[in-house]
Structure formats: structure tokens, C-alpha cells
């Protein structure tokens, strides 16, 4: 069992949610370390880093600019505070943009597999939207079936990632005035991968030193995500899983059910979460759950993937990013299945204090201490069932233990 | 005039080169700040950063792992020392790979412009190599002229940057056994931009947490440069500017000539340096130099671009990365022209102590205090002559001042 490193602040100073406060108190009493403990142990955090005034871009450093020091300070290479902070921000912009855009690429690739008949667990659930988006990409729709359209559209979207010139297709959606401003500033979203790589290239020592130009480059790398990668991700999600509409649903840790097998979905990509929901709602899995003494299977979401299955399927939200460890601390979670982004590396450590299993599924994100069951879109439902079954099989290990929701 | 911030270490403790020592002493006596002064002012450098144990990947941090502390330390998200150092190394690998690969893209793009007849200052100087490389890319060579071949080759190379699947063409050059190892480790170089973006995506908080997988991803992002971007850059350089052969040349700061207009080339991309050499050797520029009282024009290189014009044209090397400020401190440099990479942001500050002009030429790299004259491949020789003329016009401003070589 892991151990909070210092006397914790009162739970009431940590969160406003009553249910979470109770769990934080319980975790402290039982020496289960959570993000708040680590945050307090990390104090004081480095002020140079917080201000972006620390530079590790090259190995002449690390260099630091004293915010209270002389005005003419510079790093070893000669970079000023303005250059250093701009480079740091640009590098972070590239990393964030890369990650969200990669999600979009993953979605487009899944649509391609579906269209080629290689991913039978997926289909087109919003054919009207498929046609609208296809038209934007100049993909012929008349007299063609969903799959034919989806294949050409997926290929055209993937080409937006690799393009070496021209602009990203969705740029045309922006108001004309906005497009003019982008053009003037030379930040019009073009090839998604190229824009990120070029901006990243400029963050190196001895390349872009003008802070204004560096910030414009950061903007370019960011816009190519917003009007490229992320927008592709959103549109493909709607095409494959249906466009959301207003629904009523429940939220917070209380959605976990003491008498059910509880499986928490955590991460970002609906390719995983949608198929886990399908698997958990299948009669064979429900029958298996009853065999081990559970009343049913509850699927609940954490973080962004929660929103994907909430808005389309009404799946309840167990909590936010900060509550991912607390969900496990309820003692009621048989299995938490994760893909990419915002998965705290601490999860296997917290889970080791309980019967909970952490299952990672994406080749891009493995976690020491987790079980890795890779999701292959070609056999998605089978793999999802295998994961759900792992959760069901784990239900008897909870027996006799109290749950806290 | 800028000012060294503290008592400098003796020049003999800074470098082994006698000539550089003299210049460092002179700079110290005259309060001209150089990289050694800034390095000493930066001491002690942050030990966490030096060990890679500082994490600013997300804004829960900055987090630091105490190398003398408990074994179970983690950042706020739960990342261990192993995850943090691996992520930091991977992010640096992506940045470096992006920068060198972008150089390769620039070269391929210049070859495309040349082949389309849009960049008359460039030509194919090694037609034999063009044909060898074209054959590797399955570009038809029989019965076709240099430009036709070069155009198809440039397009095929640019496609290697944007490819979303398959492997980079030059992978076939690697020994079969090496290719097998890459395949087994899933690090075979594929699309250049994609590999960098994907690895960068994995460095984010909550994505790749397994340090071994993270290091393999760093390797993938690096290999795609070595067998992709950089290799393309090298091959295109040979095709456009000739394959180098052993020659005899001179090196160190003494190559600068007191009675000549001295122009120093600094940076990385031969697209700039080759055409500056052409311009400086043209009769009209030499005549202009004589008009202002100089005996001739000396071109000398600093850093990597020095090597490009040394090995192909016998242009002398004025110095290494560390000598870029000292070259200016000789008092003999009329103009230093830079493109990308390794350009110390301090150069305009050092130059402000002398008559030297710093001219930046690449849209990716501007330097506050430098004059920006953008190199457009379409009018390269004209722009190069304009830059050389700026150097010539600056020669009279040196009059009466001592030079130190």
C-alpha cells in the first residue's frame, strides 16, 4: 500500500464535492496516496518552471532567468526571457496539437478500416453527416453507398495529415474575414503533421529567436489542430457513432452501483469506449455477470471519453480528471479500461490497494503495473468482450469488502 | 556595449586554441560578453534539469524528483523518474529530428523549384548521383533529362515526409539484418512527419508511461530522421552542389583577411551558403570590393554550413559553434549571414560592439537586432549579391580599427 508523504490538507480545502471529500478522507486514513498528496509533496514547485523562465532546449543549459534580476539576462546561448518563454510555449503547443491531432488520425484510420470491411464492429451511424462532410471534401456521394463514400473521405482526411502544400480542407469553414487574417499572418492551417514538425523545428536553440515569430508559429501549430486534426476527430466520431443530441444522464461517483460489476472507461477515443459499451450491454456478458452474483454491469466514464459515451449513449459520468483515483477508492470498480491522454500514471499504484484491475488498450500508451490488452479495430467487439469479462471475473474478489459511493 | 557579469575564468581554462584565448582575453578586457561569460553566470545550473528529473510536461507541475530522495517518488500525476526522464529524452529527440528533417525538406523543395525552372541559381551538379538516387526511388531515368528526373525525385522525396503508411524509401539501404531488428522493435522508419508527431503525442501526460516503450518511440522519431529527413538532405545536397571529394583547405579564425571584405557564413543549409559563395566570387562584386578599398572578398564558414562549402568548394572554416562570437570579436567581419540552427541569439548583441552586420535569411529563424533579408530560391543569386553588397558597403566602417586574427 502506498503512503501519503506528509500530513494532508483537510479534504474540504482540496475539493468542493462532498462525495469526493469523503473519499479523500478515507484514502488519507488508509494511506492510499492520491494526486492531492503528491501535489502537496511537490510544494514549493519551481518558480522558474512555473513562469516558463527555465530552458532545457539545448545542453548548454539548463538555463534560468531570474525574474527579479537584471533586465539584460540571457541563457548561455544568449536567449532572452522573451525567447525562452515563447519557445517553451511553442513546444507545449506542438505537443498538445500532436496529441489531439493524433486522435483525429486514429479516428480517420478506423473509418477507413470500417469502409474496407475490415472492422465489422463499426458502421456508419450518421449517414446524413457522412454525406455533408464528404461534400466538403469533394468526395462524390451520388449513387454511392456509405462504405464507398466513407473510404474516399477517410483517405482524403488522412491526406490532410500528410499534405506538404495547400490548406487543410476545413479551413473553408472559417468566416472569410478570419481566413484573411490567417493568410495575412501566414498561419493558415495546412498539412497537419508538417505544421507541427515545422514549429517544433523552430523551437530549437539557434533557430527561431524572435519571440513574436515564435508565438505565431505556435499559433500555426495550434490552428492546424483546431481546424485539422481535432475537427476531423469530431466529425468522424459523429459519422461512426452518431451525432449527439440533448439527453438526460447522471454524474459523479454515485453512479457506480454496489451490486453491479462496475467498469470505468477512461481516456479519449470513442473507438474504444463505444465498443466496450456494446460489449457490456450484450446478453452473454450480462448473463456472465449474473453467474458471478452481480445484478448487472454498470459502465461509467471518466474524463473526455466519458463525454463521448455520455452524449451519444447516456452512459453516466463517474467523474472528472481529478476523480480518476477516487473512483478506484470507492472499492467498487472491478476494472478501469484506458486508452490515451490524461491517464494518471499513478492508477496501477492506487489500484494495487484494491481489487481493481487497470487495463491499457492503446499501443501508444502503456502503464507499468497495468494489464495490456491491445484494441485491434479489426476484432474490436471480441477484444472488448474479453476486457468486460476480465471485469466480471474480478467481481468475486470484491466480496466482503465495503464500497464507498 | 554588453558586459561580462562576473570575473571571468582565465581564457586558458576555457579553450585550448591559442588564437581563441587571445580573443577571449580581449573580449573580457573590453567588456564584450561571450558564451563563456554566460555559462559562468549560469552556474550552478539546475541539477534536476541536468539529470532530466524535472518535468514540465503538464501544468500540474513543474515536478522534480530528488535523486537523493525516496525510491517511490513521483510527479503530481504519478510519473516516476524513469517515465519523466524517458519523456524528456523523447521530446528532445522529436525536436532534433524535426529540425534536421526540416532541413531535408527544404533541400527537396529547392530541388523541385530548380527542376520546375523556377530557381535558376541552382542546377544539377552531380547528374550521376541524381540517377543513382532516382533509381532507388523507382523514378524513371532512361531518355530523360536532369530536370525531368529531379522533379519526380523531389516529389517522391517530399512524399516520404507526408506518407501515412509504408516505409521511408532509404530504409532499403540498411542491411537486411538491421531492417529485421527495426521491424521486430516496430521502429522501422515510415512517414517522416508522422513518426515525429506520433512520438511527440506520446510524450504528453497520461499517454506513454512505460519508459521502455517511450525510448523505443524516441528511437523511431530519431531513425526517421537518420534514414529519412537527414539522408534526403545529404543526397540532395550532393545532387545540387556536387559530391565532395578530399581537398586541402585552411581552418580557424586566422582565415579571415585584414585587407579583404570578410563575410562569414553561419548555419546549416547549403542552399544559402553555395549561392553566397557564387555571389562573392562574381567579377561585379569583386570590383565593388576594390572600389571601397578592399583587396578582395573572403568568405569563411562557421559551424555546419562551413563544412558544406569547405568540402565542396574549399572555402576555409573560420571556426566551430563556440567560435561564432569570437569571429565577430576579431573586428574583421563585415557581415555574418545566417540561416537556421546553432545561431547564438547573442550574435546581434556581440555585433553591436563592432561594425559587423548580422543578416538572417530564413523565414523560420529571425533574430532581434539582425537585419532580415529573406532568401527566396527563385531569385537566390540576386538576393545573395544584395547581401554580399551589404558586406562590401560595410567595409569602410571598419577603417582605422584594429583587427585581431
Amino acid at each position: 500500500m502506498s503512503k501519503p508523504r506528509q500530513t494532508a490538507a483537510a479534504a474540504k480545502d482540496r475539493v468542493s464535492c462532498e462525495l469526493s471529500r469523503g473519499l479523500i478522507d478515507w484514502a488519507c486514513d488508509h494511506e492510499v496516496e492520491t494526486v492531492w498528496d503528491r501535489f502537496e509533496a511537490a510544494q514549493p514547485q519551481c518558480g522558474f518552471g512555473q513562469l516558463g523562465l527555465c530552458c532545457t532546449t539545448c545542453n548548454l543549459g539548463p538555463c534560468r532567468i531570474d525574474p527579479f534580476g537584471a533586465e539584460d539576462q540571457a541563457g548561455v546561448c544568449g536567449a532572452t526571457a522573451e525567447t525562452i518563454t515563447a519557445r517553451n510555449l511553442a513546444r507545449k503547443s506542438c505537443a498538445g496539437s500532436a496529441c489531439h491531432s493524433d486522435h483525429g488520425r486514429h479516428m480517420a484510420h478506423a473509418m477507413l478500416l470500417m469502409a474496407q470491411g475490415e472492422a465489422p464492429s463499426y458502421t456508419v451511424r450518421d449517414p446524413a453527416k457522412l454525406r455533408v462532410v464528404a461534400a466538403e471534401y469533394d468526395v462524390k456521394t451520388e449513387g454511392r453507398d456509405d462504405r464507398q463514400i466513407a473510404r474516399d473521405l477517410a483517405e482524403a482526411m488522412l491526406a490532410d495529415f500528410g499534405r506538404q502544400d495547400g490548406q487543410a480542407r476545413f479551413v473553408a469553414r472559417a468566416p472569410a474575414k478570419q481566413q484573411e487574417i490567417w493568410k495575412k499572418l501566414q498561419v493558415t492551417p495546412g498539412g497537419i503533421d508538417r505544421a507541427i514538425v515545422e514549429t517544433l523545428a523552430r523551437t530549437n536553440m539557434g533557430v527561431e529567436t524572435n519571440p513574436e515569430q515564435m508565438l505565431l508559429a505556435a499559433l500555426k501549430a495550434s490552428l492546424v489542430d483546431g481546424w485539422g486534426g481535432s475537427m476531423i476527430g469530431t466529425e468522424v466520431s459523429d459519422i461512426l457513432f452518431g451525432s449527439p443530441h440533448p439527453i438526460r444522464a447522471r454524474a459523479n461517483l454515485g453512479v457506480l452501483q454496489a451490486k453491479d460489476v462496475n467498469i470505468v472507461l477512461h481516456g479519449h477515443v470513442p473507438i474504444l469506449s463505444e465498443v466496450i459499451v456494446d460489449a457490456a450491454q450484450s446478453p452473454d456478458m450480462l448473463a456472465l455477470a449474473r453467474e458471478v452474483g452481480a445484478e448487472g454491469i454498470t459502465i461509467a466514464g471518466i474524463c473526455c471519453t466519458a463525454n463521448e459515451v455520455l452524449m451519444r449513449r447516456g452512459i453516466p459520468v463517474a467523474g472528472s480528471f481529478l476523480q480518476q483515483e477516487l473512483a478506484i477508492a470507492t472499492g467498487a470498480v472491478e476494472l478501469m479500461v484506458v486508452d490515451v491522454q490524461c491517464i494518471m500514471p499513478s492508477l496501477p499504484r492506487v489500484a494495487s490497494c484494491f481489487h481493481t484491475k487497470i487495463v491499457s488498450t492503446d499501443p501508444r500508451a502503456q502503464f507499468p503495473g497495468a494489464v495490456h490488452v491491445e484494441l485491434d479495430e479489426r476484432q474490436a467487439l471480441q477484444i472488448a468482450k474479453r476486457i468486460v469479462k476480465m471485469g466480471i471475473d474480478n467481481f468475486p474478489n470484491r466480496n466482503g469488502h465495503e464500497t464507498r459511493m
Side-chain angles (χ1 to χ4, degrees), chain A residues 98-388:
Chain A
C99 208
H100 274 108
S101 287
D102 209 45
H103 171 167
R105 185 195 334 258
H106 192 174
M107 296 302 304
H109 188 250
M111 182 161 76
L112 182 63
L113 289 177
M114 181 281 298
Q116 290 170 342
E118 292 177 54
S121 310
Y122 305 98
T123 183
V124 172
R125 289 207 184 138
D126 192 339
K129 181 146 200 177
L130 169 69
R131 282 162 177 78
V132 168
V133 179
E136 288 183 86
Y137 268 90
D138 292 334
V139 168
K140 210 180 144 240
T141 56
E142 255 188 46
R144 305 181 79 199
D145 68 21
D146 288 356
R147 279 203 185 166
Q148 290 170 321
I149 299 169
R151 192 171 78 176
D152 288 358
L153 177 59
E155 281 173 353
M157 283 171 159
L158 289 170
D160 259 353
F161 286 88
R163 71 164 63 249
Q164 295 296 303
D165 43 38
Q167 61 185 46
R169 190 56 66 127
F170 285 141
V171 167
R173 287 183 170 184
K177 195 172 170 186
Q178 186 65 57
Q179 291 188 48
E180 272 310 305
I181 294 170
W182 289 343
K183 204 171 165 184
K184 198 175 141 197
L185 295 173
Q186 298 182 295
V187 298
T188 302
I192 298 164
D193 290 340
R194 177 174 175 170
I196 295 167
V197 168
E198 276 189 346
T199 296
L200 185 63
R202 291 170 73 176
T203 64
N204 284 281
M205 192 279 291
V207 190
E208 189 57 84
T209 298
N210 181 322
E212 286 173 31
Q213 293 296 318
M214 190 74 264
L215 292 176
L216 282 171
L219 204 60
K220 192 169 179 179
S222 306
L223 284 169
V224 91
D225 176 39
W227 293 83
S230 284
M231 202 172 271
I232 287 172
T234 302
E235 298 302 47
V236 176
S237 296
D238 286 353
I239 291 168
L240 291 185
F241 304 119
S243 296
H245 52 272
I247 51 171
R248 193 175 292 273
R250 292 172 310 126
N252 216 345
L253 295 161
V255 303
L256 299 171
Q257 299 297 320
K259 293 182 178 175
D260 281 0
V261 171
N262 290 298
I263 294 176
V264 174
L265 297 166
H266 178 17
H268 271 73
V269 188
I271 292 168
L272 168 71
S273 49
E274 284 280 338
V275 80
I276 295 271
V277 173
D278 289 340
Q281 293 176 347
S282 70
D284 51 335
M285 288 296 124
L286 288 168
L288 272 182
R290 279 183 213 111
E291 271 177 35
V292 297
E295 289 186 357
I297 302 172
T298 285
I299 301 285
I302 286 271
C303 209
C304 294
T305 213
N307 189 47
E308 297 282 350
V309 285
L310 164 72
M311 64 185 177
R312 294 199 182 89
R313 316 276 296 248
I315 298 296
V317 175
S320 69
F321 169 77
L322 279 176
Q323 289 170 298
Q324 58 188 282
E325 294 170 313
L326 300 184
I328 297 170
T330 63
V333 176
E334 273 61 50
L335 188 142
M336 185 180 278
V337 54
V338 305
D339 50 38
V340 290
Q341 296 181 38
C342 298
I343 319 297
M344 284 189 193
S346 62
L347 292 185
R349 186 158 149 164
V350 175
S352 73
C353 306
F354 304 89
H355 76 300
T356 309
K357 275 191 167 38
I358 308 292
V359 176
S360 58
T361 57
D362 196 294
R364 302 165 192 81
Q366 296 188 27
F367 300 83
V371 182
H372 190 67
V373 181
E374 208 155 293
L375 183 78
D376 177 350
E377 288 87 346
R378 291 170 187 84
Q379 317 167 33
L381 190 63
Q382 295 94 305
I383 292 166
K385 282 190 174 178
R386 191 173 142 209
I387 293 168
V388 170

